[in-house]
Amino acid sequence: MQFPESWLREFCNPPVNTEELARLLTMAGLEVEELRPVAPAFHGIVVAEIVEAEQHPNADRLRVCRVDAGPHSKDGPLQIVCGAPNARVGIKVPLAIVGAELPPGEDGKPFKIGTGKLRGVESFGMLCSARELKLSEDHGGLLELAADAPLGQDIREHLRLDDTLFTLKLTPNLAHCLSVYGVAREVSALTGSPLLQPDLQAVVQAHTDVLPVTVQDSDLCGRFSGRIVRGVNPTAATPAWMVERLARCGQRSVSPLVDISNYVMFELGRPSHIFDLDKIHGGLAVRWAKEGESLKLLNGNTVAVDAQVGVIADDQAVESLAGIMGGDATAVSDDTRNIYIEAAFWWPKAVMGRSRRYNFSTDAGHRFERGVDPQHTVEHIERITRLVQEICGGEAGPVDDQQPAMPVREPVTLRVSRACKVIGMPVTQAECASVFQRLGLPFVEGDGTLTVAPPSWRFDITLEEDLIEEVVRILGYERLPATPPLAPVTARVRSESQRAPFAVRHALAGLDYQETINFSFVEARWELELAGNADPIKVLNPIAAPLSVMRTSLLGSLIQVLKYNLARKAPRVRVFELGRVFLRDASVQDTDHSVAGVHQPLRVAGLAYGPAATPQWAQADKAVDFFDVKGDIEALLAPRKAVFVAAEHPAMHPGRCAAVQLDGTTIGHIGELHPKWRQGYELPQAPVLFELDLAAVQKRELPAAQGVPRQQVIQRDLALVVADKLTHDALMTTLRDDSLVRAAWLFDVYKPAQPTADIAASERSLAVRLELLDDSTTLTEERIDAAVAAAIARVQAAHGARLRA
């Protein structure tokens, strides 16, 4: 929020300078983001009037002017050569007299004015534009001043340029400070200086006309006030003082009626709207919009509205977005003669996020979604009406005030002992009472307590902690003692049986994966297609339309990262993410670390695409496949042994997907992207993905000491003919089912191109190595042969396997 210091001091003028005032506001929670002078340093610029203007004898674009600068032209009008197109007799303009200094140029040095000659004609000074004085970027001609500007007066005094612009960076809970009067109220509480009240006296009513208004939805609008003013002149000029103040608040002048509405918004924090009464058909209805309705806004955009958006409508169409922006159809113009002034209280939840749906924001919406005082709509209409009559004339009717649902504020109790504990320093009940009195918070004292009835403008006071914050910030944070902590600082020791999340990140980075960080809210399409979730948790106020639901899987985010990289011609992508997913779970209770009904486990997911390795001379190029990523998972989980079981997953290829199991529990899935989604997401080839439960990945087995075998390991190789449908795990499990078989692994697969005498078309030959060991005694040939024969018998009985001839 931006405003000039001079306007603030009209309401509250404490005996402190600008820098002290800025520090006071910042320390009270109203951060002063920037202090900027209204005008740069310059001097010797005065008000002058052009009394003669003739064409330059030697230049077509120059004029020789004679100007009256009052006491600065004792010997008669000064001769000035000027090239401005609007230099004409009768206007008053800034004059830089001889010896004046203009604002510094690009070299940082001020420009000093002296006498000189332009095309042979002497010039004793310089007539200035707004750009030359660095008051604006307008360089179309001389800066024309008011006709009643005193001749010879210093331009800084005349335009009140010795002023400072305050820019506040307000947090959302400080809605009561979104006006000059609101900030002044805070300054009064902080300094004890008196607060001057604005003039809100009622105007004289000249007629009894009332526009019929119906508030149909009280959950949208709690109070609606309006007044008809007839016979206004919309072409009147906005006073220079109002234009100046609006400009210094960052608002350009539009027209007198619009300027008045904006002025009162900056002054009192009350957004309002002025309708052209003659363009309203029948009466007004305040309601939620209906499907299929649309509205052309003042900014020229036409938007479609629905039941989630509040509107003001007449008997024929929607005329305004409630609390956000008016419509073009009923906007005031130069032809307007009768107006309807509206001031309402819109419930913050009814306005919040609505303007962002249409990709714009307004000052009105910014205020209403944080909370605007519902008690003074009538008084603020009186203020607007008085300004309208002073500038545009007109006759006012009675104020129609409807209050279907005024907010009810529950009292909040402050315990003084609790305040001392939270603040960390002793405070007395008298000090707390003084703070509330200075802030204008009505309260009732008890034994060690103060019960506050939050005023209508303080939407942020709902808890005891809110009152404690008010006490400490008004008393001053500088009073807080610098007390070191007394409790011993003890590091939390993590169990060796659990890895830290960063250890998992480092392990994946060591496997050539790069970490990505993505939004927790994703497209609903991702949830339906990649997670099979038709009912995800929806975001009430999404930052963008596609990011509308909370994710239950990390895979969609990784695929989006892949598409981003492919669009930039990345040939090889290996990425991972460690983040939360959000699952519906009615058993979850609302605590400091959880939200009722939402389970939020951490998961780790990865994606590999393109060549399995970077190109090099020692190996041939090979695209990454299921088994490459399976090896990465085994390395990530080592020394724990994962089991991979054929499974199905909505995002993965039905024949190239496996469930990852540890100790018989499924902790995630690995697989190639489903062909349907590869085509749907326009990917040249299918990436391989995995997603695992982070808690399971973090667990690890502690190393246990084991003696070196005293006996020698014996190895035997077998060539077994088995059916093609026999799985590797089933064969290995059967072979290892003997106390002497320490290990078994497959080291070759052979399948002839044509069936042979010993291998049928539906069979293949598997070469398996057995490792035999007895820790207690040396194996004899007889025991070795018996163990091998037993292994052959087991696989023959279980799987129909036989030795290859």
Side-chain angles (χ1 to χ4, degrees):
M1 176 185 170
Q2 178 179 299
F3 59 88
E5 180 183 2
S6 58
W7 196 0
L8 174 66
R9 290 186 180 272
E10 285 189 7
F11 289 112
C12 182
N13 189 14
V16 295
N17 61 31
T18 301
E19 289 71 22
E20 291 171 341
L21 179 59
R23 181 185 177 279
L24 186 70
L25 289 172
T26 298
M27 292 304 296
L30 285 71
E31 180 185 351
V32 178
E33 188 174 30
E34 183 184 18
L35 285 178
R36 180 164 52 89
V38 169
F42 60 78
H43 66 83
I45 317 296
V46 299
V47 177
E49 181 181 2
I50 300 177
V51 295
E52 293 181 18
E54 299 176 353
Q55 184 65 41
H56 192 290
N58 301 319
D60 294 338
R61 297 186 179 182
L62 297 179
R63 295 175 69 81
V64 179
C65 302
R66 297 183 66 80
V67 299
D68 182 4
H72 299 280
S73 52
K74 298 178 181 178
D75 299 329
L78 301 174
Q79 180 172 289
I80 308 291
V81 179
C82 177
N86 63 334
R88 64 186 186 277
V89 174
I91 64 171
K92 292 184 178 180
V93 295
L95 167 65
I97 60 178
V98 174
E101 287 188 353
L102 295 181
E106 295 181 357
D107 58 357
K109 298 180 181 179
F111 183 74
K112 193 168 184 178
I113 301 298
T115 60
K117 285 188 177 182
L118 279 80
R119 293 290 183 93
V121 177
E122 286 189 317
S123 180
F124 300 91
M126 173 180 171
L127 301 181
C128 304
S129 68
R131 186 176 186 181
E132 288 164 338
L133 297 179
K134 293 193 174 180
L135 300 180
S136 74
E137 292 300 316
D138 182 14
H139 60 284
L142 300 176
L143 174 60
E144 298 189 23
L145 305 176
D148 58 352
L151 293 177
Q153 185 181 31
D154 191 291
I155 201 70
R156 300 191 74 91
E157 179 184 352
H158 176 67
L159 296 179
R160 296 190 291 273
L161 299 181
D162 292 323
D163 200 355
T164 303
L165 298 183
F166 278 62
T167 301
L168 303 187
K169 187 178 181 181
L170 299 176
T171 51
N173 63 311
L174 297 176
H176 58 286
C177 296
L178 285 170
S179 66
V180 177
Y181 179 73
V183 177
R185 186 165 47 203
E186 289 292 307
V187 173
S188 175
L190 292 168
T191 63
S193 298
L195 176 67
L196 301 181
Q197 300 297 323
D199 181 13
L200 302 177
Q201 293 183 4
V203 302
V204 177
Q205 298 180 18
H207 60 82
T208 59
D209 298 343
V210 175
L211 180 70
V213 176
T214 304
V215 180
Q216 298 180 3
D217 296 301
S218 59
D219 58 339
L220 166 65
C221 178
R223 184 174 187 177
F224 193 95
S225 306
R227 159 181 276 166
I228 291 175
V229 179
R230 296 190 179 277
V232 299
N233 175 20
T235 60
T238 304
W241 60 267
M242 183 177 288
V243 173
E244 170 202 298
R245 282 189 172 173
L246 289 174
R248 294 180 185 182
C249 290
Q251 177 69 51
R252 66 179 181 86
S253 175
V254 179
S255 66
L257 293 174
V258 176
D259 292 344
I260 290 168
S261 178
N262 288 333
Y263 180 84
V264 173
M265 179 182 68
F266 288 118
E267 180 185 44
L268 304 176
R270 166 74 60 191
S272 60
H273 186 62
I274 300 179
F275 295 84
D276 187 325
L277 179 66
D278 298 324
K279 296 178 182 178
I280 298 176
H281 304 91
L284 294 178
V286 181
R287 57 174 173 81
W288 294 105
K290 301 174 184 178
E291 293 290 340
E293 291 183 321
S294 63
L295 169 66
K296 184 178 181 182
L297 298 169
L298 288 173
N299 61 9
N301 296 342
T302 299
V303 297
V305 294
D306 55 29
Q308 300 299 317
V309 179
V311 298
I312 301 175
D314 61 15
D315 293 348
Q316 294 187 6
V318 174
E319 301 298 351
S320 175
L321 279 184
I324 299 174
M325 185 181 289
D328 180 70
T330 54
V332 294
S333 65
D334 289 349
D335 299 325
T336 298
R337 292 294 174 268
N338 306 306
I339 61 173
Y340 180 74
I341 304 171
E342 166 261 311
F345 167 68
W346 307 100
W347 289 101
K349 289 184 178 180
V351 179
M352 191 177 300
R354 269 54 175 196
S355 60
R356 287 188 288 276
R357 292 180 57 181
Y358 304 111
N359 297 320
F360 66 84
S361 62
T362 63
D363 287 327
H366 181 77
R367 286 164 171 77
F368 277 122
E369 68 183 7
R370 286 160 173 78
V372 173
D373 183 1
Q375 287 293 342
H376 300 289
T377 57
V378 173
E379 291 84 348
H380 293 173
I381 284 182
E382 296 290 356
R383 172 65 169 155
I384 295 171
T385 306
R386 182 172 297 278
L387 289 172
V388 168
Q389 290 182 332
E390 289 176 358
I391 299 171
C392 303
E395 298 178 341
V399 176
D400 175 32
D401 183 30
Q402 301 183 42
Q403 304 180 28
M406 293 290 284
V408 178
R409 310 300 306 279
E410 296 295 331
V412 181
T413 299
L414 169 73
R415 295 165 291 175
V416 178
S417 59
R418 170 69 174 165
C420 296
K421 184 177 180 180
V422 173
I423 295 172
M425 71 176 186
V427 293
T428 65
Q429 185 164 335
E431 286 179 316
C432 295
S434 174
V435 167
F436 296 155
Q437 188 173 10
R438 288 159 62 182
L439 286 170
L441 306 180
F443 62 92
V444 175
E445 293 195 56
D447 184 12
T449 64
L450 295 97
T451 300
V452 173
S456 57
W457 65 83
R458 292 301 297 268
F459 282 79
D460 59 318
I461 298 179
T462 58
L463 305 171
E464 183 179 18
E465 285 73 10
D466 298 328
L467 294 177
I468 295 174
E469 179 188 4
E470 295 301 300
V471 170
V472 68
R473 76 183 186 88
I474 298 300
L475 292 180
Y477 289 110
E478 61 274 5
R479 284 185 52 181
L480 291 174
T483 306
L486 299 178
V489 179
T490 305
R492 182 180 176 185
V493 180
R494 184 183 295 275
S495 171
E496 292 185 16
S497 63
Q498 186 179 22
R499 289 189 289 186
F502 276 100
V504 177
R505 290 184 171 98
H506 284 299
L508 283 166
L511 293 169
D512 202 20
Y513 288 81
Q514 297 187 33
E515 184 177 10
T516 65
I517 300 175
N518 301 291
F519 285 125
S520 294
F521 19 86
V522 298
E523 291 189 38
R525 174 192 176 190
W526 298 357
E527 280 298 298
L528 180 63
E529 297 177 350
L530 302 177
N533 182 15
D535 185 26
I537 299 171
K538 295 182 179 180
V539 180
L540 295 179
N541 184 24
I543 61 173
L547 307 179
S548 58
V549 301
M550 304 302 293
R551 64 184 179 184
T552 61
S553 170
L554 307 181
L555 298 181
S557 300
L558 294 182
I559 292 175
Q560 183 67 18
V561 171
L562 172 63
K563 291 189 64 179
Y564 182 88
N565 280 269
L566 293 180
R568 286 150 183 80
K569 306 300 180 184
R572 183 174 182 269
V573 179
R574 293 171 77 89
V575 293
F576 78 93
E577 181 178 6
L578 193 154
R580 293 194 182 276
V581 296
F582 303 83
L583 312 171
R584 294 186 185 275
D585 187 345
S587 65
V588 178
Q589 301 299 315
D590 203 352
T591 68
D592 292 341
H593 306 287
S594 62
V595 177
V598 182
H599 181 42
Q600 305 177 45
L602 282 165
R603 290 187 183 170
V604 57
L607 177 148
Y609 176 92
T614 54
Q616 60 163 300
W617 62 270
Q619 65 182 25
D621 289 341
K622 168 185 169 298
V624 68
D625 60 18
F626 176 94
F627 298 101
D628 293 318
V629 180
K630 175 176 176 287
D632 292 336
I633 293 178
E634 290 174 334
L636 177 65
L637 298 175
R640 304 182 73 191
K641 301 291 185 182
V643 177
F644 297 83
V645 180
E648 292 186 358
H649 187 280
M652 299 177 184
H653 194 298
R656 301 174 187 175
C657 171
V660 183
Q661 295 184 350
L662 283 176
D663 303 325
T665 302
T666 299
I667 66 167
H669 289 82
I670 174 179
E672 190 178 287
L673 184 65
H674 198 293
K676 180 167 57 175
W677 308 137
R678 182 196 67 77
Q679 184 177 8
Y681 291 99
E682 300 178 350
L683 301 176
Q685 65 187 60
V688 182
L689 313 105
F690 68 87
E691 184 171 20
L692 308 174
D693 179 48
L694 180 64
V697 175
Q698 287 181 271
K699 293 179 181 178
R700 61 182 177 183
E701 296 175 353
L702 295 179
Q706 186 176 1
V708 179
R710 297 173 57 191
Q711 308 299 328
Q712 187 176 1
V713 174
I714 304 298
Q715 294 182 345
R716 292 292 184 269
D717 293 343
L718 300 177
L720 299 174
V721 179
V722 300
D724 285 340
K725 63 182 181 180
L726 179 63
T727 63
H728 170 271
D729 284 351
L731 178 62
M732 294 298 109
T733 301
T734 305
L735 288 172
R736 295 186 186 116
D737 191 17
D738 189 317
S739 60
L740 291 183
V741 180
R742 181 179 180 180
W745 62 87
L746 177 70
F747 64 87
D748 189 32
V749 178
Y750 171 69
K751 184 174 181 67
Q754 298 295 330
T756 63
D758 56 340
I759 302 178
S762 61
E763 295 179 326
R764 55 184 169 174
S765 174
L766 303 181
V768 180
R769 177 162 295 169
L770 302 181
E771 195 173 88
L772 309 176
L773 176 67
D774 187 341
D775 289 331
S776 59
T777 183
T778 303
L779 291 177
T780 62
E781 286 296 331
E782 291 78 9
R783 292 186 66 191
I784 295 171
D785 292 342
V788 172
I792 296 171
R794 287 197 303 273
V795 295
Q796 184 175 9
H799 308 298
R802 65 181 186 278
L803 283 175
R804 181 178 171 189

